[in-house]
Every structure is written in C-alpha cells, then in structure tokens.
Amino acid sequence: IYEDEDGFTIVDFKTDSALNIEKYVPQQNCYKKAAQEILNVEADKIKCYLYFLRNNEIIDLSKHMDCQS
C-alpha cells in the first residue's frame, strides 16, 4: 500500500499463471476495508490492483469491488 496525491493504492502481487480476478475480489475487499479503518479514509480514496507477475499484467479492481463504505 502506498499514498499518492489521489489517496492510497493497494497492489497485491500474484504468481498465478491464470488471470482469475474474481478469485481475489473478496480478499481485496477485506484489504480495502482494513485500510479504510486503519488510515481513517473513505473508500473512494483507496484503489486496488492485482499485479500478475507471470503475465506482467496489472488489473484495476475498481469495477469489481463491493466494499464502498
């Protein structure tokens, strides 16, 4: 997790060969909720990404996340 001018970003590195995004959405929801509580910020100030190392691909999870509050 890091902070920039827009808020906070969580990047979770994955070693899977398949890009199974939905598999990790519940985990990212937990990370985002924890970050909200620890950092005392609103959900819209936290972005979540998965970085698949084997594919060298980063996925923005903003359209897949349930945790909005």
Side-chain angles (χ1 to χ4, degrees):
I1 185 167
Y2 65 89
E3 184 178 14
D4 61 21
E5 62 275 355
D6 297 323
F8 293 88
T9 301
I10 298 170
V11 180
D12 192 2
F13 294 85
K14 300 298 181 189
T15 58
D16 305 41
S17 56
L19 301 175
N20 187 352
I21 297 165
E22 296 304 320
K23 175 181 175 181
Y24 295 108
V25 169
Q27 180 184 39
Q28 295 304 307
N29 279 324
C30 289
Y31 290 168
K32 186 172 185 177
K33 182 69 174 167
Q36 282 179 257
E37 292 177 16
I38 293 167
L39 301 169
N40 195 29
V41 296
E42 297 296 321
D44 63 346
K45 295 293 183 188
I46 302 172
K47 299 173 282 188
C48 295
Y49 295 90
L50 293 175
Y51 180 50
F52 288 89
L53 297 168
R54 291 179 191 227
N55 304 73
N56 193 31
E57 189 163 345
I58 192 160
I59 307 294
D60 180 354
L61 291 178
S62 61
K63 294 182 177 105
H64 304 276
M65 303 291 287
D66 295 332
C67 183
Q68 296 299 320
S69 57

